[in-house]
């Protein structure tokens, strides 16, 4: 099993650590997704995020424990081109060195999709091409207000962008666990050097579950 560069190897008796950055426009539900995943709670009152929030849970996947550093970022004007630019803005600290990215948009807001489209392109211009990125369409409970057909988005993301795609509802805790399980799967397989290792890893994920400690 192979993990992102910089993670701690279980072969040396240490728990793997994954740095996950969550990005998106204002009001798309980034914090709501994180809090549902960690605390199984949803707050109807909307409080815009103004600073970066860092959560440090541990997850068990396929009978292995992994530390997660989940970084919930407020909207950023652009993805920093290097670590110097990253540290010049406190809101961006840690985003450039993340092992994986969750880009969240509101399925009822076209501008929020355009935002993650731009951020994804900027990530590709500054990071390695195999850095895992998952696109997330939140607010599935407001399906009637969808602005882009699901099939169109899914085809674009999976076929053209080569990214994972998940739709969820932070309000009703629908597909939240699936989202993070898919993310951990992509982080594990993206660095596999041998095809057979990736197949074994994917097969194990189908049988087992992801839980929090």
């Amino acid at each position: 099993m192979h993990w992102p560069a910089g993670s701690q190897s279980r072969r040396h008796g240490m728990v793997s650590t994954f740095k996950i950055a969550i990005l998106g426009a204002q009001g798309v539900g980034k914090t709501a997704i994180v809090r549902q995943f960690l605390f199984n709670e949803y707050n109807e009152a909307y409080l815009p995020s103004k600073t970066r929030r860092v959560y440090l849970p541990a997850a068990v996947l396929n009978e292995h424990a992994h530390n997660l550093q989940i970084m919930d970022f407020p909207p950023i004007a652009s993805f920093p081109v290097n670590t110097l630019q990253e540290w010049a803005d406190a809101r961006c600290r840690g985003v450039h060195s993340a092992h994986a990215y969750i880009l969240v948009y509101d399925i009822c807001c076209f501008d929020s999709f355009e935002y993650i489209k731009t951020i994804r392109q900027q990530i590709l211009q500054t990071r390695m091409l195999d850095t895992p990125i998952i696109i997330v369409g939140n607010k599935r409970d407001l399906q009637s207000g969808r602005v882009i057909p699901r099939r169109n988005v899914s085809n674009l993301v999976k076929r053209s962008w080569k990214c994972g795609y998940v739709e969820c509802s932070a309000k009703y805790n629908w597909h939240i666990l699936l989202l993070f399980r898919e993310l951990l799967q992509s982080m594990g397989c993206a660095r596999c050097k041998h095809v057979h290792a990736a197949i074994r890893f994917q097969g194990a994920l189908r049988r087992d579950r992801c839980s929090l400690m």
Side-chain angles (χ1 to χ4, degrees):
M1 197 177 295
H2 300 266
W3 304 106
S7 62
Q8 299 172 343
S9 172
R10 289 185 57 82
R11 291 177 301 175
H12 294 87
M14 304 175 73
V15 178
S16 307
T17 299
F18 299 120
K19 295 173 63 177
I20 302 168
I22 302 183
L23 300 169
Q26 197 78 41
V28 298
K30 301 183 297 296
T31 300
I33 288 173
V34 175
R35 296 195 69 81
Q36 272 289 21
F37 177 60
L38 297 180
F39 310 118
N40 196 30
E41 66 178 28
Y42 177 80
N43 189 352
E44 291 282 356
Y46 171 59
L47 299 173
S49 299
K50 298 184 182 299
T51 60
R52 182 193 66 156
R53 298 174 182 173
V54 179
Y55 303 86
L56 301 171
V60 176
L61 181 63
N62 191 26
E63 299 182 356
H64 293 287
H66 309 288
N67 289 327
L68 305 181
Q69 181 178 327
I70 302 175
M71 298 174 287
D72 176 14
F73 291 91
I76 58 178
S78 62
F79 192 83
V81 298
N82 52 44
T83 54
L84 182 61
Q85 183 178 344
E86 169 189 89
W87 283 88
D89 185 347
R91 296 175 302 173
C92 295
R93 290 178 184 174
V95 69
H96 196 273
S97 58
H99 295 136
Y101 297 91
I102 298 176
L103 306 186
V104 184
Y105 79 99
D106 177 351
I107 67 169
C108 301
C109 178
F110 181 78
D111 288 344
S112 70
F113 184 77
E114 288 295 299
Y115 177 88
I116 65 164
K117 182 178 179 180
T118 299
I119 291 295
R120 171 193 163 271
Q121 187 59 41
Q122 293 172 349
I123 291 173
L124 294 181
Q125 292 170 353
T126 59
R127 296 297 311 274
M128 293 182 296
L129 293 179
D130 62 347
T131 301
I133 299 175
I134 287 189
I135 307 300
V136 177
N138 189 32
K139 305 188 183 181
R140 180 65 185 271
D141 51 291
L142 302 177
Q143 169 75 11
S144 60
R146 180 190 293 275
V147 293
I148 311 175
R150 185 186 187 281
R151 179 177 297 179
N152 292 10
V153 179
S154 180
N155 287 342
L156 173 65
V157 170
K158 292 180 178 179
R159 296 180 183 178
S160 299
W161 294 3
K162 307 300 182 184
C163 296
Y165 182 65
V166 175
E167 289 198 350
C168 68
S169 169
K171 182 175 183 178
Y172 293 108
N173 201 9
W174 185 73
H175 277 184
I176 300 298
L177 186 59
L178 172 66
L179 158 61
F180 283 91
R181 189 172 64 182
E182 290 286 328
L183 182 70
L184 287 175
Q185 176 182 349
S186 68
M187 293 172 73
C189 293
R191 305 288 176 141
C192 283
K193 297 180 180 179
H194 304 290
V195 174
H196 295 297
I199 292 174
R200 287 198 300 271
F201 185 65
Q202 291 172 334
L205 278 168
R206 293 191 187 100
R207 294 191 301 273
D208 299 324
R209 63 184 184 272
C210 173
S211 58
L212 288 179
M213 297 192 300

